[in-house]
């Protein structure tokens, strides 16, 4: 039973905590917050997670709010075999020193640069690279989405190059201060965006160029993907490969799943924790091989697709399982992932 | 064990079905759909509900889609002690004849006129009115929200009159064809709106006038309520009464719950089925007694607040429990409602 | 011909500049910007306004961008009879010292506190208060909207008290970083909001309490107003009074003007500069006298309703016209206001 | 002076009417409406356009509303040299018979199929094809946008193939009943979308494949374009060509024009009628030649980019000007187009 600490109990952190708790070979020994808000309270009162505070000076605020704390982040990591760092993008780097000092392994998220750890992680594409390592980084939600389907397609289609347009949600559902309310925002306005190089950290050598924008929605990202392929494959073979691949699902617009909103509703029908859709849904109708080109559209539930990846990353770092597909299957089963 | 059929397995119907299944004194014997979409499939494959079809001619479509059907709606209601009719507003009236012929009791939803059944229902305000009746109507999500808090406040404050502005969500989350995208729409543009008279169907004689509008959001309605009161009460007494009342919660904007989006996130932290918030959240900061006036702001999760009311309505119609608070407590416990 | 400087050429400033230019008794001698963006460029190249810079150190940036500058803000105000300060809320106070030193009169906007100038302005309600004064403050867009209709209704209805719910746009159309994208936000979550006291700065002694919230739209605010009145008036009399009052228009939802979006479209049909709707539109269908209560719904084009008020404030401060209705009529005519 | 009738005075029709009025070689002899809404009223009262009714039985409704009508659509077209048909997509075909019977030439919009007229029109790409013809069709807003930039780039880059992703606005600004409010909708969910073949109606033989989706915004469409080219060109050459091309503008995100919302604000600064941006804005930062590939992002003001095209189509059909660039220049000058 390995001990896991979550530093930064926010959108990603709280999901990784629940996913860890769902496994039988690891457990949460603590989660950290910086403010005594409703998430801090429910972590303690609903989830029974020991709560540590990221900014010790704020102890009084937690006391005032009547939220019990177990100690500081520095104390929390002493007890852990691995820390999953889910703090916001700019905080992570300064935490690395603390982890090194404490001699604890650590997993970072996609908000950090690849250079921080020199190692990036996707369970399907490059599990072995992080096996036994001290630090790794689970790539971002968008990169995870691209990697899952591209690494499934490549073995049968032999990808020559990928061109993709990433239509990104403007904010997470509960971020009420971020916009835009009514605009499409090229973001970045330069081409290519950073998503292509990020895919290359887990799929070495792939030729991928991306363009990205923000739109006024909160639910999911959406990707439009155009792939030049070397092999002669049928549309049906691509569909079959995607259907066989776990963590990817092929969905039918025609069956009422024609938008990101209906996909989120579908997650509700599946009874998912927090309404999460861990799988990358690919629209069946969009998959089309024309000559040496393959087109498809997919969506990404930004809040949750990386969550099972973190579980597998824990197993890789702590050498709990050497076969990536075995770890994937174990994680999937515990979380009800298709 | 009473047998319940759900006619119309949509936004409300599927939630009532799950709520019935959570009780120990009633069970689902069938749900109905008109189209073989993903909801039809998950009803059968995830929830194990026998699926009946509302439009018999479409049997072929369900077969084609590989979704097993158990029969027609007419067949379904034969087996039931009570039907919960959750079809869209204009379908209900024509169903009444069918229910009468089959000799089955029925519960309608707020999209129907009070006149259809001559009886309306709210578990706190007028449970007894429907006790043993053949047909009743659970009032709409907005009316349920107003009734819950007003009927809690009235006993201590002695309400003289209520003036309320209902800021309504433009569409349910998965209704992608409804707008507005970027507008505020007085709806109706006439004053008063129908919500006041609707409250009067369950709180006889109350003086209440409402104004209503639509805004571009999907999550929750929001109400701004101004009450003239006869009694001399303190703000604290109102807060206490609301805190004590089940199905109403007092929330702190300051604790990070300052918007409908964060309230929906809170429902996720509570681990609720489908991310539902059955309770009416009232913002603590907004509750303010000034002279003979009481002001407060509340939100309404339109998809779910009426769901436990339907359970209690079943108990009232079938004379399963004569004490409304006992039914409420039983329902709450089974569903994890605060 | 009076000389007017605009300090802060943003949403409000650029509109006041154009409105000043449309008059025959005043002219723009300069406008100021802090960044060399497209507004700075069009101020110079399309509008021919001399451009001064608010932050002298940035001169280089404007040069690089090829935008000609005429000097610094300090230099600009030397030439002016009056400065209209349209900088963001927190900048204004520190500017007052500069204006005093330069001996120039100044008009502030609603983002500042009443206390800064000790004097607030609405052309209909209290023009005379600012006549000949050195400094005044045009009240905010929402307060201007409330004041226009309430000060029209009061003389015939004798207002006893006003209760209003202000449904505010989340951001101005071009503010792409502000949300919410999908939420209703009580703002403030405390009741009453500051809008009531703000109305009292221009309508002394009126009993007005307001509740306010933000919604995901950019176009206009919307107000829901409930007035207790002492006089016995007919709905028709209220409509007539509002129709007669300039800067207020009575619109028909039934004629296709049933939302803020259609009102903005209407401004396009009227050929308005920048698509502005300076008038407060009141929905005819919503106006309803019931007993001693009057209900109505109105909208506010936040970017423009205060613009003609600034013109009248200039005439009041500089003693160019002693009769408020004459100034209003002159301003209206020059700007095509109904 | 040619006589032009506008059948269908809606979003496109009212703009074409104003554009015709701005020319010195053609004039509006009538516009048509089917309902007596605010657009009908302003057509008569603000614009002085003779108003004809599309559905003669509704004459009474217009009389009731006090809107003066000049006759029926059948009467209107008798007087015209050409009709611009701006009715909704499904109405156009049945009108063709009427136009034929009346012996009047006609121009259709992009909502109709190419097959209706067998001829499609873009002023830059294929003006000559429609010269002297009886009927033509101005291609849709999206197709016009693609065609403008691609036909500018092709002569210098020699386009091999085009792959584009069209991120479309969910509804026009005043369409308050259309969604989505919070979703991304692949539309169509099949790939390729119809936009590619539509471009081929005006740029014969071009290899272009498109994917399309809807997002919750009203202002503009946005295009992400990936072009394989045969020639060896520099990014700078592409920029220069686009800058030289009228009806296309190169904009800087860095200068504050980084979104569709800010582009709409820019149109206000330019003092445009109805806030229209007739030009296709291309983001300078996005233009990038990498090897044999060119990437760029552009936006399309769906309500107005086709408007000047209609003017040129009139000149082509009526043989008023044989040189497309002369017609373009004339139209541009009259409308202030860059
Ligand atoms: N939100 C997404 O869609 C998403 C998707 C994939 C990856 N990520 C990445 O995951 C990481 C976390 O993002 P998030 O969206 O969960 O952020 P978040 O803001 O929701 O949560 C961050 C949490 O960290 C806590 N925190 C802040 N400073 C801290 C400190 N000094 N010490 C300890 N805790 C601190 C905050 O209290 C908060 O609870 C980022 O790298 C982000 O890029 C986010
Ligand atoms: N959605 C809300 O927010 C909400 C809240 C409270 C009350 N209500 C009320 O609940 C009722 C149902 O609304 P909803 O939002 O769940 O609607 P919905 O459209 O989500 O679901 C209606 C369901 O009825 C089915 N149906 C349609 N015609 C049928 C027929 N002839 N026979 C059998 N089934 C048929 C449809 O397949 C669909 O599954 C309405 O009266 C509505 O006013 C809705
Ligand atoms: N936007 C509205 O809806 C609205 C409505 C009514 C009143 N107001 C009030 O009008 C005022 C201006 O608001 P706005 O929306 O026009 O703001 P804005 O941000 O659109 O414009 C402010 C302008 O001031 C300039 N500026 C900033 N710092 C400066 C400095 N130190 N010196 C000179 N110029 C500086 C900026 O460059 C910008 O152009 C505020 O008090 C606001 O509360 C705004
Ligand atoms: N709105 C856009 O963004 C856009 C852009 C490019 C092309 N188009 C195309 O332009 C055409 C018109 O679209 P729109 O957006 O202007 O539509 P719209 O709905 O705004 O206007 C259509 C007008 O036609 C009138 N009308 C309806 N039936 C009629 C009839 N039988 N006889 C006469 N008039 C009738 C209506 O009153 C309305 O005023 C369509 O083909 C559309 O595809 C639209």
């Amino acid at each position: 039973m390995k001990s896991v600490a979550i530093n930064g109990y926010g959108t990603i952190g709280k999901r990784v905590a629940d996913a860890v708790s769902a496994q039988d070979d690891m457990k949460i020994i603590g989660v950290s917050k910086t403010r005594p808000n409703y998430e801090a309270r429910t972590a303690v009162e609903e989830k029974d997670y020991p709560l540590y505070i990221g900014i010790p000076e704020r102890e009084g605020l937690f006391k005032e709010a009547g939220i019990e704390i177990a100690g500081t982040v520095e104390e929390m990591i002493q007890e852990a075999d691995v820390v999953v760092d889910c703090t916001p993008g700019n905080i992570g780097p300064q935490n690395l020193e603390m982890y090194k000092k404490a001699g604890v392994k650590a997993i970072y998220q996609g908000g950090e640069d690849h250079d921080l750890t020199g190692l990036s992680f996707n369970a399907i594409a490059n599990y072995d690279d992080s096996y036994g390592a001290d630090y790794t980084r689970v790539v971002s939600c968008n990169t995870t989405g691209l990697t899952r389907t591209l690494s499934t397609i490549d073995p049968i289609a032999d990808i020559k190059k990928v061109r993709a347009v990433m239509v990104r949600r403007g904010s997470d559902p509960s971020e009420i201060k971020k916009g835009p309310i009514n605009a499409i925002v090229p973001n970045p306005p330069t081409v290519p965006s950073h998503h292509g190089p990020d895919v290359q950290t887990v799929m070495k050598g792939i030729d991928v160029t991306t363009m990205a924008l923000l739109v006024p929605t909160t639910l999911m990202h959406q990707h439009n993907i155009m792939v030049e392929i070397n092999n002669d494959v049928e549309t049906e073979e691509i569909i079959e490969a995607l259907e066989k691949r776990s963590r990817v699902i092929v969905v039918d617009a025609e069956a009422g799943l024609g938008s990101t909103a209906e996909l989120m509703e579908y997650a509700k029908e599946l009874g998912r924790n927090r309404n999460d859709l861990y799988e990358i849904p690919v629209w069946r109708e969009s998959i089309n091989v024309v000559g040496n080109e393959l087109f498809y559209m997919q969506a990404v539930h930004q809040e949750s697709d990386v969550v099972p990846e973190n579980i597998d990353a824990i197993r890789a770092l702590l050498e709990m399982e050497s076969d990536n597909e075995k770890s994937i299957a174990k994680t999937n089963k515990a979380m009800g992932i298709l």
Side-chain angles (χ1 to χ4, degrees), chain A:
Chain A
M1 198 71 157
K2 295 295 181 178
S3 293
V4 182
I6 305 292
N7 195 11
Y9 187 80
T11 301
I12 298 301
K14 64 193 183 189
R15 286 175 166 83
V16 175
D18 288 359
V20 166
S21 300
Q23 313 298 319
D24 63 12
D25 55 351
M26 55 185 81
K27 64 166 200 278
I28 290 295
I29 56 100
V31 304
S32 80
K33 282 293 296 174
T34 51
R35 277 173 311 152
N37 70 356
Y38 69 99
E39 286 177 323
R41 183 179 303 283
T42 49
V44 175
E45 299 179 1
E46 302 288 327
K47 309 274 183 180
D48 270 332
Y49 296 139
L51 183 72
Y52 294 81
I53 56 173
I55 304 178
E57 300 76 46
R58 297 210 186 143
E59 194 180 335
L61 293 177
F62 284 76
K63 284 219 166 119
E64 240 171 71
I67 299 172
E68 201 184 339
I69 59 175
T72 66
V73 167
E74 304 229 344
E75 287 161 6
M76 173 176 77
I77 62 178
Q78 302 301 334
E79 315 296 320
D81 294 308
V82 63
V83 188
V84 185
D85 187 303
C86 303
T87 58
N90 46 340
I91 308 287
Q94 66 204 55
N95 286 341
L96 189 54
E97 282 316 300
M98 178 172 62
Y99 303 149
K100 283 194 171 149
K101 224 160 75 187
V104 65
K105 294 194 173 195
I107 295 168
Y108 280 95
Q109 307 304 316
E112 310 299 339
D113 286 340
H114 173 75
D115 289 348
L116 177 66
T117 55
L119 207 52
S120 290
F121 181 88
N122 174 273
I124 299 173
N126 76 334
Y127 184 96
D128 295 351
D129 290 2
S130 296
Y131 196 75
D134 284 339
Y135 311 109
T136 194
R137 178 189 73 119
V138 170
V139 289
S140 78
C141 47
N142 277 308
T143 304
T144 296
L146 286 174
T147 302
R148 285 225 190 112
T149 51
L150 291 173
S151 66
T152 304
I153 289 163
D154 192 31
I156 60 166
D158 189 9
I159 291 176
K160 199 170 142 200
K161 74 177 192 188
V162 181
R163 299 295 175 260
V165 176
M166 339 278 291
V167 182
R168 295 158 60 206
R169 58 90 182 100
S171 79
D172 283 338
S174 65
E175 292 179 305
I176 59 167
K177 297 206 171 148
K178 274 179 78 174
I181 291 177
N182 189 26
I184 300 172
V185 186
N187 184 287
T190 48
V191 182
S193 74
H194 70 280
H195 301 92
D198 208 34
V199 172
Q200 289 162 341
T201 65
V202 288
M203 290 184 75
K204 297 277 148 59
I206 190 169
D207 175 351
V208 49
T209 298
T210 53
M211 301 170 91
L213 40 138
L214 292 180
V215 299
T217 185
T218 62
L219 303 174
M220 301 182 93
H221 303 298
Q222 191 267 8
H223 297 169
N224 303 280
I225 305 175
M226 303 171 166
V227 191
E228 286 193 12
I229 56 185
N230 289 313
N231 290 354
D232 208 24
V233 293
E234 301 286 314
T235 297
E236 254 333 297
E237 294 173 74
I238 301 291
I239 292 177
E240 259 169 54
L242 292 171
E243 282 183 326
K244 247 188 284 178
R245 176 67 260 170
S246 81
R247 297 191 187 168
V248 171
I249 54 177
V250 178
V251 296
D252 297 87
E254 203 197 43
L257 296 173
S259 66
T260 55
E262 288 152 307
L263 287 169
M264 284 288 92
E265 189 79 9
Y266 181 51
K268 293 187 180 178
E269 302 316 297
L270 295 176
R272 291 295 172 79
N273 187 25
R274 295 173 193 276
N275 188 25
D276 283 341
L277 194 64
Y278 309 105
E279 299 87 352
I280 304 302
V282 183
W283 278 281
R284 186 186 307 276
E285 289 92 336
S286 74
I287 306 170
N288 195 9
V289 176
V290 184
N292 71 332
E293 287 178 288
L294 160 66
F295 301 92
Y296 65 102
M297 287 169 161
Q298 68 182 26
V300 168
H301 185 219
Q302 78 275 358
E303 301 179 290
S304 74
D305 72 329
V306 297
V307 173
E309 304 292 332
N310 273 278
I311 301 303
D312 297 323
I314 291 171
R315 289 211 189 86
L317 250 57
L318 301 183
E319 297 175 88
M320 296 164 70
E321 170 58 64
S322 63
D323 179 342
N324 72 325
E325 289 294 350
K326 282 200 183 139
S327 176
I328 289 173
K330 190 171 172 56
T331 305
N332 289 353
K333 193 166 171 220
M335 296 175 68
I337 295 177
L338 303 174

